[in-house]
Amino acid sequence: MGLKCRTYLLAISVMCIVIVLWFWIYSTGTITNCNTKLTAKYDEHSNFEDSLIILYNRVPKTGSTSFMSLLYALHSVNKFSVAFVNVSWISHRFLFLDQYRFALNVTSWNIRKPAIYSGHFPFLDFTKLGMHQPLYINIVRKPLDRAVSHYYFIRYGDTFLPNKKRLRHGDETSFDDCVKLNSSECSEAKLWMQIPYFCGSDAFCWEPGSEKALMHAKINLEKHYLLVGLMEKMDNFIEILESILPRFFHGSLKLFLKDGQVQLRKTKIKKSLLPQTVEHFKKSKVWQMEESFYQFVKKHFDTTYQEFIHSRTETQFSFSKLKPEFI
């Protein structure tokens, strides 16, 4: 066999070895491309989670202080930012220009991401302002219970700061007597709170008894909120959040159920209502609408929790027929 022929065979052999090695390297994953891999499980701290923004537009007297205390306790461990948003407008509404300013600040404050912002402010649609929508969460409560709790809270305070003097400190008028006196402090308009918080800053949202506000509140909840829980089922609410957003809520359920007991701050003094007081509110349009919204949220949350329990033990999807196969 001539030199030229041997050289030719050697070249073919080397080429075959290179080809075999090339396929072997790709099949074992020694070389990866620069694109993100498609896998069934995301990294514990993926880029997606690192840029998350959560908005919790907390309704007064729905357990929000207790809930937020968990996040302030966990922020350094789970490495995220947390901030309270102060809204000076008396009705907690965002005025038009402040809507843009707030959205711009929240979305562009990159050094604070991932972050959760809470405060007593209504829903704001970031997409109408040309910005990316954060994840919204919230908690609701039975409307009359919420109003009564707020009434006594501003008179007696809570178990967290028992010595702090509140706005109506010294006024010992019961809620029942307040209703008998026909005072504005316990009027049916005081129940109009959860619907406007989910409706938004438009003027009609804050008109007690507005059918349009109720409709918008329901649409916003279904379209824009990741999860809305119930105060009386806050442990279930936290359980779901810890599962789907561990970057923020890892360890929150254990902290909430410390020593086997739910850690909720409570109004110091709260008197039971007379049956006639309850019936008085049940006849009002505002109570009926707020109760309707509460029941809407309750049905939505109960369904979500049952689905969560089921999916926790059995995944409903899988990946197949992935191409190219070496990724």
Side-chain angles (χ1 to χ4, degrees):
M1 183 181 294
L3 178 61
K4 185 176 181 180
C5 185
R6 288 198 298 272
T7 303
Y8 178 74
L9 289 174
L10 180 61
I12 292 176
S13 300
V14 171
M15 186 178 296
C16 290
I17 293 172
V18 169
I19 291 173
V20 171
L21 285 173
W22 179 262
F23 278 103
W24 178 80
I25 290 171
Y26 264 114
S27 65
T28 57
T30 307
I31 295 179
T32 61
N33 60 25
C34 60
N35 296 320
T36 303
K37 287 186 176 181
L38 177 62
T39 59
K41 297 183 75 174
Y42 54 82
D43 292 334
E44 184 179 357
H45 297 304
S46 66
N47 290 333
F48 169 74
E49 289 182 307
D50 288 341
S51 62
L52 278 177
I53 301 171
I54 297 176
L55 286 189
Y56 172 33
N57 60 319
R58 48 202 278 191
V59 180
K61 303 311 297 175
T62 57
S64 60
T65 302
S66 298
F67 178 72
M68 285 307 301
S69 67
L70 300 175
L71 292 163
Y72 277 103
L74 292 170
H75 78 92
S76 59
V77 178
N78 293 343
K79 294 180 173 57
F80 62 87
S81 300
V82 59
F84 181 78
V85 180
N86 294 289
V87 182
S88 58
W89 189 254
I90 191 64
S91 67
H92 306 301
R93 288 171 56 199
F94 277 126
L95 298 182
F96 179 72
L97 188 56
D98 278 340
Q99 292 180 28
Y100 181 79
R101 289 169 175 163
F102 173 71
L104 185 62
N105 271 275
V106 168
T107 55
S108 61
W109 204 355
N110 294 324
I111 196 173
R112 284 294 179 184
K113 295 177 183 177
I116 180 166
Y117 298 90
S118 76
H120 299 306
F121 56 85
F123 169 78
L124 174 63
D125 188 354
F126 281 54
T127 62
K128 288 180 66 176
L129 303 171
M131 302 180 201
H132 182 71
Q133 188 86 305
L135 293 177
Y136 270 98
I137 61 172
N138 215 325
I139 303 169
V140 299
R141 184 181 185 179
K142 293 180 179 178
L144 187 54
D145 289 351
R146 191 208 64 79
V148 172
S149 180
H150 183 264
Y151 178 88
Y152 284 112
F153 171 75
I154 60 176
R155 285 161 175 77
Y156 299 106
D158 59 16
T159 54
F160 177 60
L161 296 172
N163 298 319
K164 182 176 180 179
K165 292 184 178 181
R166 302 293 175 172
L167 184 64
R168 293 289 186 268
H169 177 75
D171 180 5
E172 298 182 359
T173 306
S174 70
F175 191 85
D176 293 307
D177 289 338
C178 178
V179 172
K180 291 177 183 177
L181 294 170
N182 200 28
S183 171
S184 61
E185 289 196 48
C186 51
S187 67
E188 64 178 66
K190 293 294 184 180
L191 271 65
W192 192 254
M193 187 62 66
Q194 297 183 140
I195 288 175
Y197 262 70
F198 283 83
C199 178
S201 290
D202 291 315
F204 69 82
C205 293
W206 296 83
E207 296 173 3
S210 169
E211 296 284 353
K212 186 177 180 181
L214 175 58
M215 179 186 69
H216 276 256
K218 289 181 177 180
I219 291 173
N220 287 338
L221 185 147
E222 290 187 318
K223 186 177 179 181
H224 298 292
Y225 280 80
L226 173 68
L227 187 66
V228 180
L230 309 173
M231 179 178 164
E232 63 268 27
K233 296 182 179 181
M234 194 180 293
D235 54 339
N236 297 151
F237 177 67
I238 294 170
E239 185 182 1
I240 297 175
L241 289 174
E242 183 167 353
S243 178
I244 61 178
L245 292 173
R247 185 70 164 84
F248 292 86
F249 295 98
H250 177 69
S252 58
L253 186 60
K254 182 179 180 180
L255 192 61
F256 183 69
L257 300 175
K258 186 178 180 181
D259 300 325
Q261 296 183 355
V262 173
Q263 303 299 307
L264 271 177
R265 296 170 183 174
K266 300 178 180 179
T267 301
K268 269 174 44 178
I269 298 177
K270 188 166 54 177
K271 302 174 184 178
S272 299
L273 297 182
L274 295 172
Q276 53 264 41
T277 301
V278 177
E279 289 303 313
H280 166 79
F281 281 99
K282 285 187 175 182
K283 294 175 182 178
S284 72
K285 180 181 179 181
V286 170
W287 179 86
Q288 292 168 7
M289 294 180 71
E290 280 279 353
E291 180 68 14
S292 170
F293 181 70
Y294 170 80
Q295 293 299 332
F296 176 82
V297 177
K298 183 177 184 301
K299 182 178 180 180
H300 197 276
F301 178 75
D302 287 344
T303 300
T304 300
Y305 186 70
Q306 290 305 314
E307 291 177 352
F308 165 73
I309 294 298
H310 180 72
S311 62
R312 189 171 56 180
T313 57
E314 183 179 347
T315 303
Q316 300 298 306
F317 70 92
S318 62
F319 298 107
S320 64
K321 299 180 181 180
L322 293 175
K323 299 295 181 181
E325 297 178 349
F326 51 77
I327 293 181

